[in-house]
Amino acid sequence: EDVPQVSCDLRLILKMSASNKGDWLEKALKAMMAGKTKVQDVFNIVTHPKFASGVSEKYGKRMFQMVTENMDHFSDKQRLTLSRCKLASGPEAKEDSEDEAKTKRRR
């Protein structure tokens, strides 16, 4: 199977909707396993605090599950960071999304 290369443009990916981030992650992990995308690039995006923003806790867990299934491709140090990243801890568990916060203030 020919795996296409995946864009690892951080600014582009952070602007994506939650479902598009999930799709990107799936493609990026496949590309990473096929050697078409650098592990470091995927790691940098997944561990970025804003990557998890806007992602529901349930969807975030599903996305993190995809990452954990591919943990053997990451170094020990990267695995440790991944296990502590915002996606792993449940993105919206600790804070309301900005939209919700604005709505609450208006009431």
Side-chain angles (χ1 to χ4, degrees):
E1 159 189 18
D2 192 34
V3 180
Q5 226 173 341
V6 178
S7 165
C8 285
D9 182 333
L10 184 65
R11 282 187 318 228
L12 215 70
I13 293 151
L14 294 181
K15 286 179 185 170
M16 289 179 177
S17 67
S19 62
N20 285 348
K21 285 177 184 173
D23 293 342
W24 172 85
L25 183 60
E26 200 174 345
K27 289 175 190 159
L29 291 168
K30 281 180 184 164
M32 186 181 84
M33 289 184 290
K36 300 265 176 109
T37 300
K38 289 180 188 161
V39 174
Q40 186 66 45
D41 289 345
V42 176
F43 170 81
N44 288 344
I45 292 166
V46 173
T47 55
H48 192 286
K50 286 189 178 168
F51 181 70
S53 84
V55 177
S56 70
E57 193 173 353
K58 188 179 173 186
Y59 197 60
K61 280 180 182 165
R62 276 220 321 263
M63 285 167 67
F64 190 67
Q65 182 65 41
M66 286 192 267
V67 175
T68 52
E69 285 165 10
N70 295 283
M71 277 296 204
D72 50 340
H73 293 276
F74 297 97
S75 71
D76 290 343
K77 194 176 176 183
Q78 286 173 327
R79 282 183 215 157
L80 187 65
T81 306
L82 282 163
S83 69
R84 294 176 178 164
C85 76
K86 207 168 174 190
L87 195 64
S89 62
E92 298 294 358
K94 293 183 185 71
E95 57 183 317
D96 289 333
S97 72
E98 283 178 33
D99 293 338
E100 284 175 45
K102 283 175 193 159
T103 312
K104 282 179 186 163
R105 272 186 231 123
R106 279 194 208 117
R107 282 191 201 133

